[in-house]
Amino acid sequence: MSLKVAVATDQGEKFVNRHFGDAEFYYIYEVDKNKADFKLKIANNSVEEKKHADPNKAKSIVKILKEKDVQVGVNLKFGPNIKRVKKHFVPVLIDTSDIEKGLKKISDNYDELKKLWDQGEKRSHFKF
């Protein structure tokens, strides 16, 4: 069993130092207790925010990631829309800018993240 994980990035090596929804791309990985396997790169073609914490932006991000069966979203920062997206995937606030190191932390905490995923819409976010 693995988790589908989306990391917010512009170039594939570092997490963006902006909100999750502001990344240029999402790199999708399948992560289990032992490894993280890269699956694909998708463009963030979500709608533009008309106001801060725009619910339409959150819906757009969720739609993009649901199409790829994403269960976990990882980045350095999430905005106020975290309360909306956590109903659809586990938001993870990571404490390293390096994606490879971040994926190792996700793998090391697989059981806890799986439990959060299994809680459904009432899940909370995870913070390192």
Side-chain angles (χ1 to χ4, degrees):
M1 178 89 186
S2 61
L3 289 169
K4 280 261 192 107
V5 176
V7 302
T9 186
D10 289 342
Q11 54 12 10
E13 294 177 17
K14 303 285 182 192
F15 294 101
V16 296
N17 197 15
R18 304 182 304 279
H19 292 165
F20 181 84
D22 295 332
E24 291 183 28
F25 300 99
Y26 298 106
Y27 280 40
I28 310 298
Y29 293 83
E30 284 188 10
V31 179
D32 63 26
K33 292 180 184 183
N34 302 309
K35 64 188 179 312
D37 290 326
F38 176 77
K39 293 300 174 186
L40 72 144
K41 169 184 172 180
I42 56 174
N44 179 359
N45 57 6
S46 62
V47 300
E48 291 294 320
E49 260 185 332
K50 294 189 174 149
K51 60 180 180 173
H52 190 60
D54 187 340
N56 291 322
K57 175 81 170 191
K59 285 179 191 173
S60 184
I61 296 293
V62 165
K63 182 178 186 285
I64 291 167
L65 298 180
K66 269 191 163 187
E67 288 174 357
K68 304 301 180 194
D69 299 317
V70 168
Q71 299 161 290
V72 177
V74 186
N75 197 39
L76 294 166
K77 298 178 183 178
F78 280 80
N81 271 331
I82 194 170
K83 67 182 182 273
R84 293 183 177 99
V85 300
K86 73 179 184 173
K87 294 177 182 177
H88 304 280
F89 59 85
V90 180
V92 174
L93 290 153
I94 201 77
D95 61 354
T96 179
S97 62
D98 184 83
I99 289 175
E100 190 174 325
K101 289 178 184 174
L103 289 168
K104 173 74 170 109
K105 289 182 176 212
I106 298 298
S107 184
D108 289 346
N109 289 275
Y110 174 88
D111 289 333
E112 183 63 30
L113 292 168
K114 178 72 169 80
K115 284 180 193 172
L116 285 171
W117 169 252
D118 290 342
Q119 289 177 5
E121 290 187 13
K122 296 187 188 291
R123 72 180 61 90
S124 62
H125 67 280
F126 189 89
K127 185 175 181 179
F128 285 97

